[in-house]
Amino acid sequence: MDYSLILNTFDAAIVLGVSLPSILMASKISKAPLRTLSLLLASFLLVHGLYHLVEALATFDALSSLGVFSDAVVEPAGWVLLFVFMVYYSRRGG
């Protein structure tokens, strides 16, 4: 049994489970800067959860090419969102 499948599936479930209510709550915030910060952070969580899901699927032989996709596209997209969050927070957040 491959532990990376179990761990990535568990991580994906936890992070995606947190990101969806976060997006819903962030969309209901009335102050624009706080809403934007919350949506950026929730978007990062969503992309990071998708990264773990794709990594879990890549452990299967038929889907092994997804590992390259997750490392080349999904993970950098998450880092970009986190960087945008950091820049936005440093300018508008506090």
Side-chain angles (χ1 to χ4, degrees):
M1 175 174 269
D2 190 12
Y3 288 111
S4 65
L5 171 65
I6 296 169
L7 292 174
N8 277 317
T9 304
F10 180 74
D11 288 345
I14 295 297
V15 176
L16 288 173
V18 169
S19 70
L20 297 177
S22 298
I23 290 173
L24 179 65
M25 289 186 331
S27 66
K28 295 181 185 240
I29 296 174
S30 61
K31 293 189 177 203
L34 187 57
R35 180 178 55 241
T36 303
L37 276 171
S38 300
L39 284 173
L40 283 170
L41 188 58
S43 297
F44 165 74
L45 289 171
L46 181 68
V47 171
H48 190 67
L50 291 175
Y51 167 76
H52 282 290
L53 182 64
V54 172
E55 280 291 318
L57 292 174
T59 60
F60 297 109
D61 290 335
L63 300 172
S64 62
S65 61
L66 286 177
V68 175
F69 174 73
S70 68
D71 290 336
V73 177
V74 182
E75 187 177 27
W79 287 113
V80 167
L81 279 169
L82 193 60
F83 182 75
V84 169
F85 171 81
M86 177 192 70
V87 169
Y88 189 82
Y89 179 78
S90 68
R91 305 230 175 197
R92 299 285 308 238

